[in-house]
Amino acid sequence: MIIITCHVRKLFSTIFIVWLKGGKRLENPVYIGLPKGTQFGHPVRMSSVEWLQQGEDWMVSGSLLLAVWQGTLICEVEDKDKLVLEAGDVLLCGSKLRLRLQHADEIQHGRNIEVPAEGMLLELDLRLPGGKTVTPKCQYLKQAGSELLSAAKNLARNWVGEQGNPWALQTQFLELMSQLSEEEQRRERQQEGWMEESIIYLHTHYGEELTREDMARRAGISPEHYSRCFRRHTGTTFSAYLTLLRVRRAQELLLSGQTTSLNDTAHQVGYREGLYLSRRFKQVIGVSPSAYIKSTLRPAALNINHSASLWALGIQPEWGMYASWFAASQGAKAHYSPERLLDGWNRKGRAVPRPDVILDYELPHRYEKLLELAPLVQLSPMRMSWRGQFKLIANMVGRQRQADELLEQIGEEAERLRDGLKRRYGAPGSAIVWEIGDHMAYGIAASHGRGAQLVYGELGYRLPGQFKEQNIEHKGYVEVDIGDLAKHKADYIFITGCPNQPQASDRLKLVLASEEWKCLEAVRAGRVFMLGQSELFYGYDPISCRAQLQELERMMLNGGIVSTLLTSQKSMPSYHAKA
């Protein structure tokens, strides 16, 4: 048997359970604390809005709930901005404040006539378990839900007169507070939507003249309400957030060399002159722009290509990630995973270094929280070659000489291989680089690695016309059903990855054994290459590129051709020739 007993001290603070067994009470009762977030409260006094005198001050010692269900009321809280509450609006304020209310005028028959509003002014006492007073954040609920307004009207209607049930007002008050809580949660969910849109707009238009009033107008709310919602969503003010965006973009421009002068940088980020940008820059970063570009940076890389590019330059990023092939061959290991940046850079109170710059491809919107930590330099593979990305990274970390030497070595090795291929096969023609997944096959463009950056770049092969018609260079790859592989023709075919699932492997076997596949010119001419070590071909950093060139040379010039195996063998393991 369980007996639940309430201990009252100012307000309900503890619930304990006494277990009875066989009619005997256990010596030690089991105490169960109240759930986190629990609050208690009761109404203190209530006034009908229509009873208020024009301009009368209402001194509030506790919290205040103001609901208007007819007319218009002008509300001034502690001499701050005036709020205009219309029918359906609800205002919740904190404790110990002075409130001045005024009924709005309407024009009737050419004259301004004061029209009393109707509503409820309720002072309430809110507390936590143990008796500590709760001061709610001021909330202005424009056009509240019908359930909340109905609960407010019900409490106001039953406030006057004797109650047959002594708990009736408390019950109605609890219903009101419950509806208020549900309304707040509903609006928070709605706010996530329009606030996310507002944040995205800021990130794409920060270079324009933007004000809080502009953004509030776009959202269809008052500037004051926009400020409250913005701060609740971001943890900072609109002005501070916009300044951070502009300074971070200025950092990115300075690091990537995309600006000619400080004035040019200022104009690109939304300021009129470089001097003003310099002041803002120093305010946020702590140093001037000129000092910043001379400083030594601690980079973080959110992908394997940029992590490996830093490693190739002799820099071990404290935040990074590596493909298993790269980690095994180079002994590469990052101190911290990039996931820690996304989850919180100082999680669990452990002191970890803050990066000075964050490198990645084009980042989705959810990563924009990282701007609080450092500038995000986005190196889009769709707009920048692997060489361009590498040279830009080297420029940022002051390793231009090392980068030039590495690229020169790769150029020489590629030229030697290209000469050998020309002697053996003639001039380079069209080529397809396939990656076979468990569900689909993917034709890869130079932007997406898998060796394609070398095939279509340094080695001089070209994309087949079919792929160009499918706009592969815009997307980076073409998605094809595995069963349709033989429908795509090219002079050379490279396969850098095979499926893991048995069902997909069986489908690939059928394709490679089909007459349609065997009739392809590349198959008949012995120019189909199954490249093992798929992880080796995943990246496009300099170290991976050199290893890929060596593997391509082995496969294409030193007896690694597998076209005969592809057309004659029946088991997939034999396709990984000399891997």
Side-chain angles (χ1 to χ4, degrees):
M1 178 180 179
I2 302 176
I3 301 175
I4 301 178
T5 307
C6 295
H7 170 65
V8 181
R9 183 176 176 269
K10 293 186 180 178
L11 286 167
F12 305 112
S13 59
T14 307
I15 297 177
F16 65 87
I17 299 174
V18 181
W19 290 87
L20 298 181
K21 185 175 181 181
K24 297 182 179 179
R25 173 174 173 168
L26 295 181
E27 293 183 2
N28 297 316
V30 180
Y31 287 86
I32 300 178
L34 289 162
K36 187 178 180 180
T38 299
Q39 291 186 21
F40 297 101
H42 63 90
V44 177
R45 58 174 176 156
M46 191 272 290
S47 175
S48 178
V49 167
E50 51 264 38
W51 298 345
L52 297 173
Q53 298 294 322
Q54 183 79 303
E56 177 184 6
D57 286 349
W58 180 278
M59 304 304 297
V60 181
S61 58
S63 300
L64 177 72
L65 180 69
L66 176 59
V68 177
W69 45 78
Q70 184 172 314
T72 303
L73 193 67
I74 300 173
C75 175
E76 183 179 345
V77 182
E78 295 288 351
D79 297 323
K80 296 180 181 178
D81 293 338
K82 293 181 180 179
L83 290 176
V84 179
L85 277 70
E86 299 174 329
D89 295 352
V90 173
L91 177 67
L92 177 65
C93 294
S95 59
K96 297 181 180 179
L97 52 82
R98 179 176 59 80
L99 188 72
R100 176 169 294 177
L101 301 173
Q102 182 177 350
H103 298 286
D105 293 343
E106 289 185 4
I107 299 178
Q108 296 182 3
H109 306 294
R111 298 173 58 193
N112 286 342
I113 304 296
E114 180 186 314
V115 179
E118 294 183 14
M120 174 188 73
L121 194 65
L122 178 68
E123 187 176 340
L124 48 148
D125 186 12
L126 303 176
R127 295 179 184 265
L128 295 172
K132 185 178 179 180
T133 299
V134 174
T135 303
K137 293 182 291 187
C138 188
Q139 297 189 61
Y140 176 30
L141 305 179
K142 191 76 175 172
Q143 295 301 297
S146 58
E147 295 85 356
L148 174 57
L149 291 172
S150 177
K153 289 179 182 179
N154 192 37
L155 179 63
R157 185 168 49 249
N158 291 286
W159 189 273
V160 182
E162 295 184 5
Q163 298 289 332
N165 181 349
W167 296 98
L169 281 180
Q170 180 70 15
T171 301
Q172 292 158 10
F173 170 75
L174 292 177
E175 174 63 20
L176 172 62
M177 299 309 293
S178 177
Q179 290 296 337
L180 178 62
S181 178
E182 290 182 10
E183 179 76 11
E184 291 170 349
Q185 293 175 25
R186 181 179 66 84
R187 287 176 179 251
E188 284 180 4
R189 291 191 296 269
Q190 291 178 341
Q191 177 190 317
E192 286 295 322
W194 68 258
M195 183 53 73
E196 282 295 316
E197 291 180 5
S198 186
I199 296 294
I200 291 173
Y201 187 87
L202 269 180
H203 277 262
T204 53
H205 294 81
Y206 60 84
E208 304 170 9
E209 289 191 13
L210 290 176
T211 65
R212 180 191 66 160
E213 287 70 24
D214 294 332
M215 300 303 294
R217 194 178 304 113
R218 284 182 54 83
I221 58 177
S222 70
E224 294 76 18
H225 184 54
Y226 181 86
S227 291
R228 290 191 293 270
C229 292
F230 192 92
R231 188 173 194 116
R232 187 160 59 242
H233 186 83
T234 64
T236 188
T237 64
F238 170 81
S239 177
Y241 193 89
L242 182 58
T243 297
L244 179 64
L245 277 182
R246 289 171 167 171
V247 169
R248 290 297 191 224
R249 176 56 178 162
Q251 288 178 280
E252 182 182 349
L253 292 171
L254 291 169
L255 291 172
S256 58
Q258 299 178 56
T259 181
T260 57
S261 66
L262 193 58
N263 279 333
D264 176 52
T265 307
H267 296 156
Q268 289 192 58
V269 303
Y271 293 130
R272 295 183 178 180
E273 59 178 7
L275 184 60
Y276 186 76
L277 167 62
S278 184
R279 288 201 300 267
R280 288 294 191 181
F281 194 99
K282 191 169 185 178
Q283 175 187 346
V284 174
I285 308 303
V287 296
S288 67
S290 58
Y292 175 75
I293 58 177
K294 297 176 184 176
S295 61
T296 301
L297 300 178
R298 182 190 292 115
L302 303 188
N303 62 74
I304 64 170
N305 285 307
H306 297 153
S307 298
S309 293
L310 288 166
W311 186 274
L313 291 167
I315 295 174
Q316 182 179 358
E318 294 185 77
W319 309 86
M321 59 192 303
Y322 303 97
S324 58
W325 170 85
F326 192 97
S329 65
Q330 305 297 313
K333 184 179 180 181
H335 291 305
Y336 308 105
S337 165
E339 292 300 319
R340 287 284 304 277
L341 286 175
L342 303 180
D343 295 340
W345 74 282
N346 198 15
R347 189 173 53 182
K348 297 181 180 178
R350 294 178 58 190
V352 293
R354 180 192 290 257
D356 298 315
V357 60
I358 300 173
L359 307 175
D360 203 359
Y361 314 126
E362 291 179 299
L363 291 164
H365 177 58
R366 71 184 183 92
Y367 286 178
E368 287 164 356
K369 188 73 174 173
L370 295 177
L371 283 172
E372 297 177 9
L373 301 179
L376 306 177
V377 177
Q378 303 182 54
L379 308 175
S380 170
M382 305 305 298
R383 297 195 297 267
M384 192 181 300
S385 70
W386 74 271
R387 283 175 170 266
Q389 294 175 57
F390 181 60
K391 291 175 74 172
L392 186 54
I393 291 172
N395 185 62
M396 276 189 274
V397 296
R399 301 290 174 95
Q400 296 93 327
R401 182 180 58 80
Q402 293 93 322
D404 291 340
E405 290 175 356
L406 277 170
L407 292 176
E408 184 178 356
Q409 292 171 8
I410 292 173
E412 292 172 353
E413 293 171 11
E415 184 178 5
R416 184 172 62 250
L417 176 56
R418 189 168 58 247
D419 291 342
L421 293 173
K422 186 176 182 180
R423 287 192 299 269
R424 181 159 185 173
Y425 300 104
S430 62
I432 296 178
V433 179
W434 287 116
E435 182 177 73
I436 315 298
D438 289 330
H439 303 287
M440 303 290 287
Y442 302 90
I444 307 298
S447 60
H448 278 50
R450 278 75 165 181
Q453 80 281 2
L454 299 173
V455 170
Y456 300 123
E458 277 70 11
L459 299 184
Y461 294 92
R462 66 178 186 274
L463 286 163
Q466 279 178 289
F467 280 5
K468 289 184 177 181
E469 292 172 3
Q470 293 175 272
N471 207 17
I472 186 175
E473 292 171 315
H474 176 73
K475 191 176 182 181
Y477 62 91
V478 167
E479 196 173 32
V480 176
D481 187 271
I482 294 174
D484 293 333
L485 283 174
K487 296 179 180 179
H488 294 78
K489 302 175 183 179
D491 298 321
Y492 297 82
I493 296 176
F494 301 89
I495 300 179
T496 64
C498 288
N500 296 314
Q501 291 186 1
Q503 185 179 3
S505 296
D506 291 342
R507 291 188 66 199
L508 181 57
K509 291 177 188 178
L510 291 174
V511 172
L512 300 182
S514 69
E515 288 301 318
E516 188 177 14
W517 174 266
K518 294 176 183 178
C519 290
L520 289 175
E521 176 61 27
V523 178
R524 290 190 292 107
R527 295 194 295 263
V528 178
F529 307 94
M530 181 72 73
L531 306 176
Q533 302 186 62
S534 59
E535 279 222 358
L536 184 156
F537 278 89
Y538 188 80
Y540 55 68
D541 61 276
I543 294 176
S544 296
C545 285
R546 293 189 72 179
Q548 290 165 19
L549 284 171
Q550 294 168 10
E551 181 68 7
L552 286 167
E553 181 177 8
R554 186 181 71 83
M555 296 296 295
M556 301 179 77
L557 295 181
N558 299 330
I561 299 174
V562 296
S563 60
T564 55
L565 293 173
L566 290 170
T567 57
S568 62
Q569 299 298 314
K570 294 184 178 180
S571 59
M572 282 302 294
S574 65
Y575 299 156
H576 298 274
K578 298 186 180 181

PDB file of all heavy atoms in Angstrom, residues 477-500:
ATOM      1  N   TYR A 477      27.905  14.902 -59.377  1.00  0.00           N
ATOM      2  CA  TYR A 477      27.779  13.473 -59.665  1.00  0.00           C
ATOM      3  C   TYR A 477      26.480  13.226 -60.417  1.00  0.00           C
ATOM      4  O   TYR A 477      25.589  14.070 -60.440  1.00  0.00           O
ATOM      5  CB  TYR A 477      27.799  12.639 -58.375  1.00  0.00           C
ATOM      6  CG  TYR A 477      26.664  12.941 -57.429  1.00  0.00           C
ATOM      7  CD1 TYR A 477      25.452  12.245 -57.482  1.00  0.00           C
ATOM      8  CD2 TYR A 477      26.791  13.951 -56.467  1.00  0.00           C
ATOM      9  CE1 TYR A 477      24.416  12.534 -56.621  1.00  0.00           C
ATOM     10  CE2 TYR A 477      25.758  14.245 -55.603  1.00  0.00           C
ATOM     11  CZ  TYR A 477      24.571  13.532 -55.678  1.00  0.00           C
ATOM     12  OH  TYR A 477      23.537  13.827 -54.829  1.00  0.00           O
ATOM     13  N   VAL A 478      26.399  12.043 -61.034  1.00  0.00           N
ATOM     14  CA  VAL A 478      25.185  11.594 -61.707  1.00  0.00           C
ATOM     15  C   VAL A 478      24.759  10.276 -61.071  1.00  0.00           C
ATOM     16  O   VAL A 478      25.591   9.385 -60.884  1.00  0.00           O
ATOM     17  CB  VAL A 478      25.429  11.407 -63.225  1.00  0.00           C
ATOM     18  CG1 VAL A 478      24.278  10.641 -63.864  1.00  0.00           C
ATOM     19  CG2 VAL A 478      25.589  12.762 -63.901  1.00  0.00           C
ATOM     20  N   GLU A 479      23.506  10.180 -60.708  1.00  0.00           N
ATOM     21  CA  GLU A 479      22.970   8.981 -60.049  1.00  0.00           C
ATOM     22  C   GLU A 479      22.340   8.065 -61.098  1.00  0.00           C
ATOM     23  O   GLU A 479      21.499   8.502 -61.884  1.00  0.00           O
ATOM     24  CB  GLU A 479      21.940   9.408 -59.004  1.00  0.00           C
ATOM     25  CG  GLU A 479      21.584   8.335 -58.007  1.00  0.00           C
ATOM     26  CD  GLU A 479      20.691   8.883 -56.905  1.00  0.00           C
ATOM     27  OE1 GLU A 479      19.900   9.811 -57.191  1.00  0.00           O
ATOM     28  OE2 GLU A 479      20.783   8.394 -55.773  1.00  0.00           O
ATOM     29  N   VAL A 480      22.753   6.799 -61.102  1.00  0.00           N
ATOM     30  CA  VAL A 480      22.318   5.847 -62.116  1.00  0.00           C
ATOM     31  C   VAL A 480      21.959   4.526 -61.438  1.00  0.00           C
ATOM     32  O   VAL A 480      22.624   4.100 -60.496  1.00  0.00           O
ATOM     33  CB  VAL A 480      23.440   5.611 -63.157  1.00  0.00           C
ATOM     34  CG1 VAL A 480      23.042   4.537 -64.164  1.00  0.00           C
ATOM     35  CG2 VAL A 480      23.788   6.906 -63.863  1.00  0.00           C
ATOM     36  N   ASP A 481      20.917   3.884 -61.914  1.00  0.00           N
ATOM     37  CA  ASP A 481      20.592   2.553 -61.425  1.00  0.00           C
ATOM     38  C   ASP A 481      21.712   1.581 -61.804  1.00  0.00           C
ATOM     39  O   ASP A 481      22.263   1.655 -62.907  1.00  0.00           O
ATOM     40  CB  ASP A 481      19.266   2.078 -62.014  1.00  0.00           C
ATOM     41  CG  ASP A 481      18.801   0.777 -61.399  1.00  0.00           C
ATOM     42  OD1 ASP A 481      19.178  -0.289 -61.926  1.00  0.00           O
ATOM     43  OD2 ASP A 481      18.068   0.815 -60.396  1.00  0.00           O
ATOM     44  N   ILE A 482      22.078   0.683 -60.905  1.00  0.00           N
ATOM     45  CA  ILE A 482      23.170  -0.254 -61.172  1.00  0.00           C
ATOM     46  C   ILE A 482      22.919  -1.042 -62.451  1.00  0.00           C
ATOM     47  O   ILE A 482      23.837  -1.302 -63.240  1.00  0.00           O
ATOM     48  CB  ILE A 482      23.370  -1.206 -59.969  1.00  0.00           C
ATOM     49  CG1 ILE A 482      23.859  -0.412 -58.747  1.00  0.00           C
ATOM     50  CG2 ILE A 482      24.362  -2.316 -60.304  1.00  0.00           C
ATOM     51  CD1 ILE A 482      23.961  -1.228 -57.474  1.00  0.00           C
ATOM     52  N   GLY A 483      21.669  -1.379 -62.685  1.00  0.00           N
ATOM     53  CA  GLY A 483      21.335  -2.149 -63.878  1.00  0.00           C
ATOM     54  C   GLY A 483      21.522  -1.387 -65.174  1.00  0.00           C
ATOM     55  O   GLY A 483      21.534  -1.992 -66.256  1.00  0.00           O
ATOM     56  N   ASP A 484      21.711  -0.044 -65.077  1.00  0.00           N
ATOM     57  CA  ASP A 484      21.859   0.777 -66.283  1.00  0.00           C
ATOM     58  C   ASP A 484      23.301   1.175 -66.558  1.00  0.00           C
ATOM     59  O   ASP A 484      23.558   2.050 -67.406  1.00  0.00           O
ATOM     60  CB  ASP A 484      21.000   2.046 -66.162  1.00  0.00           C
ATOM     61  CG  ASP A 484      19.517   1.733 -66.154  1.00  0.00           C
ATOM     62  OD1 ASP A 484      19.123   0.695 -66.720  1.00  0.00           O
ATOM     63  OD2 ASP A 484      18.745   2.541 -65.585  1.00  0.00           O
ATOM     64  N   LEU A 485      24.264   0.578 -65.867  1.00  0.00           N
ATOM     65  CA  LEU A 485      25.666   0.955 -66.065  1.00  0.00           C
ATOM     66  C   LEU A 485      26.101   0.820 -67.518  1.00  0.00           C
ATOM     67  O   LEU A 485      26.822   1.672 -68.051  1.00  0.00           O
ATOM     68  CB  LEU A 485      26.573   0.078 -65.186  1.00  0.00           C
ATOM     69  CG  LEU A 485      26.630   0.418 -63.690  1.00  0.00           C
ATOM     70  CD1 LEU A 485      27.447  -0.636 -62.952  1.00  0.00           C
ATOM     71  CD2 LEU A 485      27.219   1.797 -63.476  1.00  0.00           C
ATOM     72  N   ALA A 486      25.670  -0.255 -68.174  1.00  0.00           N
ATOM     73  CA  ALA A 486      26.125  -0.519 -69.546  1.00  0.00           C
ATOM     74  C   ALA A 486      25.557   0.473 -70.550  1.00  0.00           C
ATOM     75  O   ALA A 486      26.009   0.504 -71.703  1.00  0.00           O
ATOM     76  CB  ALA A 486      25.749  -1.949 -69.945  1.00  0.00           C
ATOM     77  N   LYS A 487      24.585   1.278 -70.132  1.00  0.00           N
ATOM     78  CA  LYS A 487      23.996   2.251 -71.052  1.00  0.00           C
ATOM     79  C   LYS A 487      24.829   3.525 -71.162  1.00  0.00           C
ATOM     80  O   LYS A 487      24.521   4.402 -71.970  1.00  0.00           O
ATOM     81  CB  LYS A 487      22.581   2.609 -70.597  1.00  0.00           C
ATOM     82  CG  LYS A 487      21.614   1.417 -70.643  1.00  0.00           C
ATOM     83  CD  LYS A 487      20.235   1.817 -70.167  1.00  0.00           C
ATOM     84  CE  LYS A 487      19.270   0.631 -70.223  1.00  0.00           C
ATOM     85  NZ  LYS A 487      17.918   0.979 -69.739  1.00  0.00           N
ATOM     86  N   HIS A 488      25.867   3.631 -70.349  1.00  0.00           N
ATOM     87  CA  HIS A 488      26.701   4.829 -70.341  1.00  0.00           C
ATOM     88  C   HIS A 488      28.070   4.487 -70.931  1.00  0.00           C
ATOM     89  O   HIS A 488      28.807   3.662 -70.389  1.00  0.00           O
ATOM     90  CB  HIS A 488      26.844   5.379 -68.916  1.00  0.00           C
ATOM     91  CG  HIS A 488      25.549   5.889 -68.365  1.00  0.00           C
ATOM     92  ND1 HIS A 488      24.566   5.051 -67.882  1.00  0.00           N
ATOM     93  CD2 HIS A 488      25.069   7.156 -68.250  1.00  0.00           C
ATOM     94  CE1 HIS A 488      23.539   5.776 -67.475  1.00  0.00           C
ATOM     95  NE2 HIS A 488      23.825   7.053 -67.683  1.00  0.00           N
ATOM     96  N   LYS A 489      28.379   5.124 -72.062  1.00  0.00           N
ATOM     97  CA  LYS A 489      29.572   4.777 -72.834  1.00  0.00           C
ATOM     98  C   LYS A 489      30.678   5.807 -72.638  1.00  0.00           C
ATOM     99  O   LYS A 489      30.427   7.002 -72.495  1.00  0.00           O
ATOM    100  CB  LYS A 489      29.208   4.685 -74.311  1.00  0.00           C
ATOM    101  CG  LYS A 489      28.116   3.663 -74.614  1.00  0.00           C
ATOM    102  CD  LYS A 489      27.709   3.701 -76.075  1.00  0.00           C
ATOM    103  CE  LYS A 489      26.568   2.718 -76.351  1.00  0.00           C
ATOM    104  NZ  LYS A 489      26.150   2.768 -77.779  1.00  0.00           N
ATOM    105  N   ALA A 490      31.904   5.302 -72.625  1.00  0.00           N
ATOM    106  CA  ALA A 490      33.089   6.165 -72.563  1.00  0.00           C
ATOM    107  C   ALA A 490      34.284   5.369 -73.056  1.00  0.00           C
ATOM    108  O   ALA A 490      34.252   4.130 -73.116  1.00  0.00           O
ATOM    109  CB  ALA A 490      33.320   6.662 -71.146  1.00  0.00           C
ATOM    110  N   ASP A 491      35.365   6.052 -73.406  1.00  0.00           N
ATOM    111  CA  ASP A 491      36.575   5.378 -73.887  1.00  0.00           C
ATOM    112  C   ASP A 491      37.299   4.652 -72.755  1.00  0.00           C
ATOM    113  O   ASP A 491      37.974   3.645 -72.992  1.00  0.00           O
ATOM    114  CB  ASP A 491      37.522   6.394 -74.525  1.00  0.00           C
ATOM    115  CG  ASP A 491      36.897   7.076 -75.745  1.00  0.00           C
ATOM    116  OD1 ASP A 491      36.207   6.372 -76.513  1.00  0.00           O
ATOM    117  OD2 ASP A 491      37.086   8.297 -75.908  1.00  0.00           O
ATOM    118  N   TYR A 492      37.144   5.170 -71.531  1.00  0.00           N
ATOM    119  CA  TYR A 492      37.797   4.569 -70.362  1.00  0.00           C
ATOM    120  C   TYR A 492      36.765   4.511 -69.235  1.00  0.00           C
ATOM    121  O   TYR A 492      35.943   5.418 -69.071  1.00  0.00           O
ATOM    122  CB  TYR A 492      38.996   5.393 -69.904  1.00  0.00           C
ATOM    123  CG  TYR A 492      40.111   5.475 -70.924  1.00  0.00           C
ATOM    124  CD1 TYR A 492      40.032   6.397 -71.970  1.00  0.00           C
ATOM    125  CD2 TYR A 492      41.217   4.647 -70.835  1.00  0.00           C
ATOM    126  CE1 TYR A 492      41.047   6.473 -72.922  1.00  0.00           C
ATOM    127  CE2 TYR A 492      42.239   4.725 -71.786  1.00  0.00           C
ATOM    128  CZ  TYR A 492      42.150   5.630 -72.823  1.00  0.00           C
ATOM    129  OH  TYR A 492      43.147   5.710 -73.756  1.00  0.00           O
ATOM    130  N   ILE A 493      36.821   3.451 -68.440  1.00  0.00           N
ATOM    131  CA  ILE A 493      35.924   3.300 -67.297  1.00  0.00           C
ATOM    132  C   ILE A 493      36.765   2.968 -66.068  1.00  0.00           C
ATOM    133  O   ILE A 493      37.580   2.031 -66.098  1.00  0.00           O
ATOM    134  CB  ILE A 493      34.880   2.190 -67.543  1.00  0.00           C
ATOM    135  CG1 ILE A 493      33.964   2.579 -68.711  1.00  0.00           C
ATOM    136  CG2 ILE A 493      34.045   1.952 -66.271  1.00  0.00           C
ATOM    137  CD1 ILE A 493      32.957   1.506 -69.093  1.00  0.00           C
ATOM    138  N   PHE A 494      36.571   3.725 -65.006  1.00  0.00           N
ATOM    139  CA  PHE A 494      37.240   3.485 -63.724  1.00  0.00           C
ATOM    140  C   PHE A 494      36.171   3.186 -62.681  1.00  0.00           C
ATOM    141  O   PHE A 494      35.174   3.913 -62.585  1.00  0.00           O
ATOM    142  CB  PHE A 494      38.046   4.715 -63.292  1.00  0.00           C
ATOM    143  CG  PHE A 494      39.108   5.131 -64.274  1.00  0.00           C
ATOM    144  CD1 PHE A 494      38.819   6.018 -65.309  1.00  0.00           C
ATOM    145  CD2 PHE A 494      40.404   4.653 -64.155  1.00  0.00           C
ATOM    146  CE1 PHE A 494      39.790   6.414 -66.213  1.00  0.00           C
ATOM    147  CE2 PHE A 494      41.391   5.048 -65.059  1.00  0.00           C
ATOM    148  CZ  PHE A 494      41.081   5.923 -66.092  1.00  0.00           C
ATOM    149  N   ILE A 495      36.367   2.151 -61.902  1.00  0.00           N
ATOM    150  CA  ILE A 495      35.442   1.812 -60.820  1.00  0.00           C
ATOM    151  C   ILE A 495      36.226   1.864 -59.524  1.00  0.00           C
ATOM    152  O   ILE A 495      37.169   1.094 -59.321  1.00  0.00           O
ATOM    153  CB  ILE A 495      34.806   0.427 -61.027  1.00  0.00           C
ATOM    154  CG1 ILE A 495      34.029   0.414 -62.352  1.00  0.00           C
ATOM    155  CG2 ILE A 495      33.892   0.068 -59.860  1.00  0.00           C
ATOM    156  CD1 ILE A 495      33.366  -0.911 -62.675  1.00  0.00           C
ATOM    157  N   THR A 496      35.859   2.804 -58.642  1.00  0.00           N
ATOM    158  CA  THR A 496      36.644   3.043 -57.424  1.00  0.00           C
ATOM    159  C   THR A 496      36.003   2.473 -56.167  1.00  0.00           C
ATOM    160  O   THR A 496      36.594   2.555 -55.106  1.00  0.00           O
ATOM    161  CB  THR A 496      36.847   4.550 -57.210  1.00  0.00           C
ATOM    162  OG1 THR A 496      35.583   5.169 -56.980  1.00  0.00           O
ATOM    163  CG2 THR A 496      37.505   5.180 -58.412  1.00  0.00           C
ATOM    164  N   GLY A 497      34.835   1.918 -56.269  1.00  0.00           N
ATOM    165  CA  GLY A 497      34.205   1.365 -55.078  1.00  0.00           C
ATOM    166  C   GLY A 497      33.107   0.397 -55.462  1.00  0.00           C
ATOM    167  O   GLY A 497      32.408   0.615 -56.455  1.00  0.00           O
ATOM    168  N   CYS A 498      32.963  -0.694 -54.716  1.00  0.00           N
ATOM    169  CA  CYS A 498      31.937  -1.705 -54.989  1.00  0.00           C
ATOM    170  C   CYS A 498      30.990  -1.793 -53.805  1.00  0.00           C
ATOM    171  O   CYS A 498      31.329  -1.418 -52.683  1.00  0.00           O
ATOM    172  CB  CYS A 498      32.596  -3.056 -55.242  1.00  0.00           C
ATOM    173  SG  CYS A 498      33.458  -3.124 -56.831  1.00  0.00           S
ATOM    174  N   PRO A 499      29.783  -2.308 -54.037  1.00  0.00           N
ATOM    175  CA  PRO A 499      28.783  -2.359 -52.962  1.00  0.00           C
ATOM    176  C   PRO A 499      29.160  -3.337 -51.856  1.00  0.00           C
ATOM    177  O   PRO A 499      29.934  -4.277 -52.069  1.00  0.00           O
ATOM    178  CB  PRO A 499      27.511  -2.797 -53.690  1.00  0.00           C
ATOM    179  CG  PRO A 499      27.982  -3.504 -54.905  1.00  0.00           C
ATOM    180  CD  PRO A 499      29.250  -2.828 -55.307  1.00  0.00           C
ATOM    181  N   ASN A 500      28.591  -3.096 -50.688  1.00  0.00           N
ATOM    182  CA  ASN A 500      28.811  -3.972 -49.538  1.00  0.00           C
ATOM    183  C   ASN A 500      27.711  -5.013 -49.386  1.00  0.00           C
ATOM    184  O   ASN A 500      27.957  -6.116 -48.918  1.00  0.00           O
ATOM    185  CB  ASN A 500      28.896  -3.136 -48.249  1.00  0.00           C
ATOM    186  CG  ASN A 500      30.084  -2.195 -48.259  1.00  0.00           C
ATOM    187  OD1 ASN A 500      31.196  -2.590 -48.604  1.00  0.00           O
ATOM    188  ND2 ASN A 500      29.862  -0.942 -47.893  1.00  0.00           N
TER     189      ASN A 500
END
